[in-house]
Amino acid sequence: MKRILLAAALAISSVSFAQSGIKQDIDIIQSAWGKTKQELINESMKLQEPQAAAFWKVYDAYEAERKELGATRLQLISDYTTSYETLTDEKVDELAKATLKNNAAYEKLYSKYYGKMKKTVGAMNAAKFIQLETALQTAIRSETQDAIPFIGEIDRSKKH
């Protein structure tokens, strides 16, 4: 039932969902760790000035790009939830390719910003940031995946 309710909520408005997706990310992080993403990163990085100021400048640029990818990911989820009951091979193929492209874009973003962070705060701190960011995004993806039905899941539940 939780999955059906989320699917319905996602289907209501992909635009408002994409805008609220950032809030959803924040809610997932706060429910798991009881802190905002920025608080978690700040506590984990433990940077001192002037390194901290330089880090946050690069981080802000990273977040701007990540949010665009996140909005695309949320749009794909919304598209899936509005069409999963009538999925065709063509639609599944379109969604799968777009999702794989989005996942690859995240990996490219991590690589791009690892290099920028390394120049700004050194390899150890850059790796720490990427490790933390990957963990946070994995948690968000996991929560999201748990909330949407697998292909054919609704059909199987109707047969019982």
Side-chain angles (χ1 to χ4, degrees):
M1 184 57 136
K2 175 182 165 188
R3 292 172 191 237
I4 293 171
L5 290 175
L6 179 64
L10 292 175
I12 290 172
S13 172
S14 60
V15 173
S16 67
F17 182 71
Q19 291 171 345
S20 70
I22 294 166
K23 182 173 178 356
Q24 179 191 26
D25 285 1
I26 292 167
D27 291 345
I28 291 170
I29 291 168
Q30 286 181 328
S31 70
W33 289 282
K35 300 176 186 214
T36 67
K37 182 179 178 188
Q38 196 165 19
E39 288 172 329
L40 286 170
I41 290 171
N42 192 43
E43 287 178 15
S44 296
M45 297 303 295
K46 298 178 183 153
L47 298 172
Q48 302 299 315
E49 294 300 337
Q51 221 178 24
F55 169 82
W56 289 111
K57 183 177 179 183
V58 175
Y59 173 83
D60 289 342
Y62 164 81
E63 271 296 289
E65 290 186 50
R66 187 205 56 79
K67 287 177 182 178
E68 288 179 25
L69 292 176
T72 300
R73 182 177 69 207
L74 293 171
Q75 180 58 50
L76 288 166
I77 292 167
S78 179
D79 195 11
Y80 170 72
T81 60
T82 59
S83 62
Y84 72 80
E85 290 181 331
T86 58
L87 284 173
T88 63
D89 280 349
E90 293 79 18
K91 185 63 176 180
V92 165
D93 188 46
E94 172 191 325
L95 291 170
K97 286 178 180 176
T99 299
L100 292 169
K101 182 178 177 182
N102 185 255
N103 290 345
Y106 266 97
E107 295 302 320
K108 286 180 183 176
L109 184 68
Y110 296 152
S111 181
K112 174 183 175 179
Y113 277 90
Y114 172 77
K116 289 182 179 209
M117 290 286 185
K118 181 178 166 184
K119 289 178 184 174
T120 304
V121 294
M124 185 71 70
N125 285 319
K128 188 188 302 185
F129 167 71
I130 295 301
Q131 184 179 33
L132 179 59
E133 183 63 24
T134 302
L136 293 173
Q137 291 304 314
T138 299
I140 291 166
R141 284 182 176 182
S142 178
E143 286 287 324
T144 304
Q145 184 63 47
D146 285 348
I148 60 174
F150 282 104
I151 296 170
E153 183 176 303
I154 299 302
D155 293 336
R156 285 194 310 270
S157 68
K158 289 179 183 178
K159 293 178 183 177
H160 295 289

